[in-house]
Amino acid sequence: MGSTITEKILARAAGRDEVHAGDIIEAKVDLALANDITAPLAIAEFEKAGFTKVFDPARIALVPDHFTPNKDIKAAGQAKKMREFARRHEIVNYFEVGRVGIEHVLLPDTGMVAPGDLVVGADSHTCTYGAVAAFSTGMGSTDFAAAMAWGHVWLRVPESIRFVYSGRPGAWVTGKDLILHTIGLIGVDGALYQAMEFSGEAIRTLSMDERFTMCNMAIEAGGKNGIVGFDEKTTQYLQARPEGSRARTAGRVFASDDDAEYARVLEIDASAVPLTVSKPHLPSNAAAAADLADVTIDQVVIGSCTNGRIADLRQAAAILRGKKVHANVRAIILPGTQQVCLDAIADGTMQALIEAGCAFSTPTCGACLGGHMGVLAEGERAVATTNRNFVGRMGHPGAEVYLASPYVAAASALAGHIATPEDVGAGKGGPR
Amino acid sequence: MIFEGTVHKYGRDVDTDVIIPARYLTTNDPAELAKHCMEDIDAEFVSTVQPGDIIVAHENFGCGSSREHAPVAIKASGISVVIASSFARIFYRNAINTGLPIVVCPAAASEAQAGDRLRVDLGAGTVENLTQSKEYDAEAFPPFMQELIDRGGLLKYVKAQLVERSRS
C-alpha cells in the first residue's frame, strides 16, 4: 500500500520508514509559531512547568500580529510579555511592529517554510503552509509551550481526503471560491481530524497565493492540514524567497503514491463553481454571489491571512481602479505584510485602492476577529475576504459577516450590496 | 472522578469565538475569562451556571480558533465536564492539556435536555441522565491520550522525556 504526501512528511519527521493513518507519532518540529494572543498563555505554562530553555531559538517564530499595533492597554501588556520572552530566550524570529506581518503570510513569504517541513503553530490557520507541500497544523498554547521546550510534538497521523478539481475555473473565480464551495459541500466538520489534499488540473492553474488561501481554510472544514503537491509553481515561488532561507535550501519533496489510501475521494468540476459567498454564521453556508444581490452592506474587509497577499490586493484594485466605494460602505484593506504594502505602492495598487476610497491599514489580523481596525456594530453587515463568519466574529454578536473573494468583496464595495465584477461593469476577466 | 450537575444544552458547531469572544483575549486570567464564557451564544450562561454544571452539545464542539482560552474559560466558569457528540480537534487537545474533562457520547448528547441532571463517571466511562433515568457508555480515550492524562498532562510528559534524553 502506498502513502499520501501527508503520511510521507510525518514519517520523515518521526524518523520512521512509513506511518499510516491512525498511528500516534512523536515528530520533530521544523518550526513552531505563536502570536500575541496565544503566546502569552504558552509562556505562562512554559514557565509554570519549570522549563528554562527553548529547544532552538532559530526554530521558533513569535509574531505579534493580532492586536498590534497595540489596540489597548491590556493588549499592550500581552504583547510586552511576548517581547520580553523573545529577548530573554534570544528568539531569532521575533517580528516587531514595523517589520511584522500577518503570521501566515509573513512566514512563508520570508522563506521560513520549506517543502516537507513539519510546522506547528498556536493559531488555527497554521494549516496555510500546505501550499508549499509542507505539513502544518494549528494547536493550542500548551501544545506550543511543549513544542518550544521539546522540539517535538505528538500527532495522530490523519486520514486524507483527496479533492480532485477538474476543468478550468470560470471568469473571476479564484481559489477562494473553490474552497468556500468545497466547505459548503462537506460542512464545517466534513474533514474533521483529516488531511485535505487538493489536486487536479484546476489546482495546477491556481497561483501560489490562491493555493495558500485554499490551504488556509482547511480548518474551516475541521481539517488537520491542507496540502497541495509540489509542482513548477511551487519551485518558482520558493526560488523567489530570500537567498539562504530555509525555503531555498532545505526542501524535501514528497508526493502521494498512486496507490495511497484515502478516506474519501471527491471530484469537483471547477468550471461549474460559481463566484461563492458564505453567508452568516458558518463558512459552510455557501451560496452563489449572484443570488445575494439584495444583501446591502456597511463594510468591506479585504485582506487577512486568507486573502492579504499582493495578488489579492491587485484583484481588488482591478475592480476598484478609477471608481468610488459606495457612499454607505467603509472599505478596509488589511495587507498581509510590509512587503505586500511596498509591492502595492510600487505597482500603483495602493494608490488605486486609496483613490477609490479604501482605508489602508498596517498589517494586522485586526478586524477579522473583531479586535480592532474595523469592528462591526449591532445590526451591521460586512463582506470580508477573511475566513470565519461566526456569531460575534467581527464585533457585535448582532452583526453579520459574508465571506467572499477579493473580486466579489471589491465589487460589493462599489455596489453597496453583494455584487459580482460583472454587476459593476467589469466584463469577463479574472486571474487566468 | 464523578461529576453531577445540571445541563446547559447547545446545538452543533459551537465555535470558540462564541465560547470566549476575541474581544476578551487580552488576558490569560481564568476568572476574567470566565466572566464572558459563552457570552455570544448564551448571555444568561454566566448568571445561571452553578459549580459542577455540565455543558452538553451536538457535533463539532469547539470548532474554529485554536484559542486555549476557551477550555480555560469553561473550566473557570464552574463547568465540571463537557459532553458532546464530537469535538473539533484543536479544542479536544486543548481540553486535555488544560484539564477540562470532556466526554464523547453521541447518545447522551442528543437525548439530554437543558435542565436535566446528569451524573458522569469518568473512571467507569458512563453518563447517567438522572432526570430521564437513562444510562450511556461514553467513548474511551485513545490509549496515548489516557497515558498523557495519567501522567499529569502534556508538560509533565515532556519534562520526563527531556530528563530521559539528557540521561541517554
Side-chain angles (χ1 to χ4, degrees):
Chain A
M1 184 180 65
S3 298
T4 64
I5 181 171
T6 294
E7 289 168 332
K8 288 184 185 182
I9 297 171
L10 293 178
R12 182 211 49 83
R16 296 205 208 165
D17 290 336
E18 55 182 69
V19 299
H20 290 289
D23 293 350
I24 301 281
I25 57 166
E26 289 181 359
K28 202 160 165 266
V29 170
D30 294 301
L31 178 67
L33 62 122
N35 58 56
D36 51 313
I37 288 181
T38 58
L41 183 46
I43 291 164
E45 291 300 316
F46 182 91
E47 289 173 351
K48 198 168 81 189
F51 293 115
T52 53
K53 218 170 103 208
V54 301
F55 83 104
D56 184 346
R59 288 183 184 261
I60 292 165
L62 294 176
V63 189
D65 59 356
H66 276 59
F67 291 159
T68 59
N70 299 332
K71 79 179 184 84
D72 56 32
I73 294 169
K74 286 173 94 178
Q78 296 292 84
K80 189 173 177 217
K81 284 182 201 164
M82 182 171 169
R83 181 180 303 112
E84 288 173 350
F85 180 88
R87 286 183 187 156
R88 198 157 58 244
H89 292 272
E90 298 176 332
I91 301 297
V92 178
N93 298 295
Y94 169 76
F95 299 88
E96 194 50 273
V97 168
R99 282 79 83 193
V100 78
I102 299 171
E103 50 196 343
H104 309 310
V105 183
L106 179 73
L107 300 183
D109 273 10
T110 50
M112 291 187 59
V113 184
D117 274 359
L118 188 155
V119 182
V120 296
D123 188 280
S124 61
H125 292 109
T126 303
C127 52
T128 308
Y129 319 135
V132 294
F135 174 90
S136 60
T137 193
M139 296 183 169
S141 293
T142 299
D143 268 311
F144 172 70
M148 276 204 297
W150 189 23
H152 284 68
V153 64
W154 76 265
L155 291 166
R156 178 186 164 279
V157 178
E159 291 137 14
S160 292
I161 305 180
R162 184 160 184 248
F163 296 85
V164 185
Y165 298 85
S166 62
R168 243 186 124 68
W172 307 111
V173 172
T174 64
K176 182 64 170 287
D177 301 283
L178 296 186
I179 191 65
L180 293 178
H181 178 79
T182 302
I183 297 166
L185 289 177
I186 67 172
V188 287
D189 63 351
L192 192 60
Y193 294 87
Q194 294 174 315
M196 295 176 78
E197 185 177 321
F198 304 116
S199 65
E201 60 172 309
I203 298 299
R204 298 294 145 221
T205 70
L206 299 185
S207 67
M208 286 302 292
D209 287 0
E210 291 174 279
R211 296 177 187 183
F212 280 118
T213 301
M214 289 193 72
C215 291
N216 172 272
M217 290 196 72
I219 181 66
E220 310 314 332
K224 185 165 196 153
N225 63 311
I227 197 158
V228 176
F230 194 92
D231 66 7
E232 190 50 39
K233 284 187 177 156
T234 328
T235 306
Q236 284 168 9
Y237 174 82
L238 295 168
Q239 285 310 314
R241 298 311 101 212
E243 197 159 342
S245 65
R246 206 174 155 74
R248 293 276 292 270
T249 57
R252 288 146 297 189
V253 176
F254 296 99
S256 292
D257 293 324
D258 291 337
D259 59 344
E261 196 174 326
Y262 290 93
R264 208 172 152 194
V265 177
L266 217 69
E267 298 194 9
I268 294 169
D269 178 1
S271 68
V273 172
L275 288 172
T276 302
V277 170
S278 291
K279 299 183 289 179
H281 288 286
L282 283 176
S284 57
N285 211 0
D291 294 339
L292 299 173
D294 57 343
V295 178
T296 56
I297 57 170
D298 305 285
Q299 180 165 299
V300 165
V301 173
I302 296 170
S304 82
C305 64
T306 310
N307 282 113
R309 298 178 183 81
I310 187 63
D312 299 307
L313 269 51
R314 286 177 183 148
Q315 289 174 7
I319 304 300
L320 287 159
R321 185 172 282 112
K323 300 189 172 165
K324 292 288 176 200
V325 169
H326 191 277
N328 296 343
V329 175
R330 314 176 298 261
I332 299 163
I333 313 292
L334 301 177
T337 61
Q338 294 287 64
Q339 188 60 49
V340 168
C341 292
L342 290 171
D343 292 346
I345 289 169
D347 71 358
T349 295
M350 188 187 276
Q351 181 150 358
L353 292 169
I354 291 173
E355 283 177 354
C358 299
F360 208 103
S361 165
T362 190
T364 179
C365 305
C368 172
L369 74 162
H372 62 154
M373 296 302 294
V375 175
L376 297 173
E378 183 171 15
E380 288 192 326
R381 209 177 275 144
V383 171
T385 68
T386 56
N387 42 55
R388 294 195 171 124
N389 53 358
F390 300 147
V391 170
R393 173 72 181 179
M394 201 172 267
H396 195 281
E400 292 184 343
V401 177
Y402 289 74
L403 304 174
S405 73
Y407 285 132
V408 170
S412 304
L414 293 176
H417 56 80
I418 293 178
T420 67
E422 288 177 50
D423 293 337
V424 295
K428 285 206 189 298
R432 272 159 290 275
Chain B
M1 266 192 286
I2 295 172
F3 304 112
E4 197 178 312
T6 301
V7 169
H8 298 255
K9 181 79 189 271
Y10 303 99
R12 55 168 300 147
D13 306 320
V14 173
D15 61 79
T16 54
D17 273 273
V18 295
I19 294 172
I20 182 73
R23 57 188 178 274
Y24 303 119
L25 299 185
T26 50
T27 176
N28 316 331
D29 179 20
E32 273 299 309
L33 294 167
K35 285 183 194 163
H36 304 288
C37 188
M38 309 304 277
E39 186 170 295
D40 283 359
I41 192 175
D42 180 2
E44 306 297 304
F45 176 82
V46 169
S47 57
T48 57
V49 66
Q50 296 296 318
D53 278 1
I54 295 170
I55 285 179
V56 179
H58 293 156
E59 293 82 3
N60 202 26
F61 186 86
C63 64
S65 160
S66 67
R67 61 190 70 164
E68 199 164 291
H69 311 66
V72 168
I74 291 173
K75 196 178 172 197
S77 75
I79 288 292
S80 61
V81 53
V82 181
I83 302 171
S85 302
S86 64
F87 289 90
R89 59 163 282 279
I90 302 177
F91 184 91
Y92 184 93
R93 288 181 80 114
N94 287 348
I96 304 289
N97 287 343
T98 55
L100 171 69
I102 54 171
V103 170
V104 178
C105 188
S110 68
E111 291 179 13
Q113 302 293 322
D116 282 1
R117 294 286 296 175
L118 296 192
R119 191 167 184 276
V120 179
D121 185 333
L122 285 186
T126 57
V127 177
E128 196 180 345
N129 188 321
L130 303 171
T131 307
Q132 299 183 18
S133 305
K134 287 181 182 165
E135 195 167 324
Y136 312 87
D137 288 326
E139 274 179 27
F141 283 115
F144 179 75
M145 301 292 314
Q146 192 57 55
E147 193 194 330
L148 272 188
I149 295 165
D150 294 345
R151 289 171 68 162
L154 177 65
L155 294 176
K156 286 209 172 115
Y157 174 82
V158 167
K159 272 208 120 164
Q161 295 289 313
L162 290 175
V163 168
E164 210 170 288
R165 194 194 286 174
S166 67
R167 279 200 199 118
S168 64

